[in-house]
Amino acid sequence: MVIAGGCGAGSLWRAGEGQVKLWIAVLFFALGASAMRQWLVRTDLIRRLGSAVFLPNEIGWAGAVCGVAVLMAIWYLLSGWNEQVRQIGVLKS
């Protein structure tokens, strides 16, 4: 949602105004949220929602540090791409 240029409520509002980029963002948000809910139910992790999770205990220190670094790199690349595309006028905000 943030990469698309807004929060959940703002994205829904702007998607209703006809902004195609936000239609795509809302669609993938809905699909992702639904898929995550199904996965949580199937793995019975839904019972642990709301409890504290220490990432290194779950996947180890190396996995936690590498995972966070990979997520940060992906976020950096996607936000840079979004800004470049916006500057050349392909996407309108």
Side-chain angles (χ1 to χ4, degrees):
M1 287 291 183
V2 174
I3 292 173
C7 64
S11 295
L12 287 172
W13 185 271
R14 290 182 10 203
E17 291 176 341
Q19 294 188 21
V20 177
K21 182 170 69 168
L22 276 297
W23 290 353
I24 295 167
V26 169
L27 172 69
F28 280 97
F29 175 75
L31 292 173
S34 298
M36 179 58 79
R37 170 101 165 89
Q38 289 299 318
W39 179 74
L40 288 171
V41 169
R42 275 192 227 128
T43 58
D44 204 34
L45 290 174
I46 198 148
R47 292 177 190 237
R48 293 180 57 187
L49 280 179
S51 64
V53 175
F54 187 57
L55 199 55
N57 285 345
E58 300 296 322
I59 60 174
W61 278 99
V65 172
C66 289
V68 169
V70 167
L71 285 174
M72 289 171 60
I74 290 170
W75 185 272
Y76 174 76
L77 293 171
L78 287 174
S79 63
W81 169 82
N82 191 43
E83 286 299 317
Q84 286 179 345
V85 171
R86 185 179 292 170
Q87 287 175 358
I88 62 173
V90 174
L91 298 176
K92 295 183 180 181
S93 56

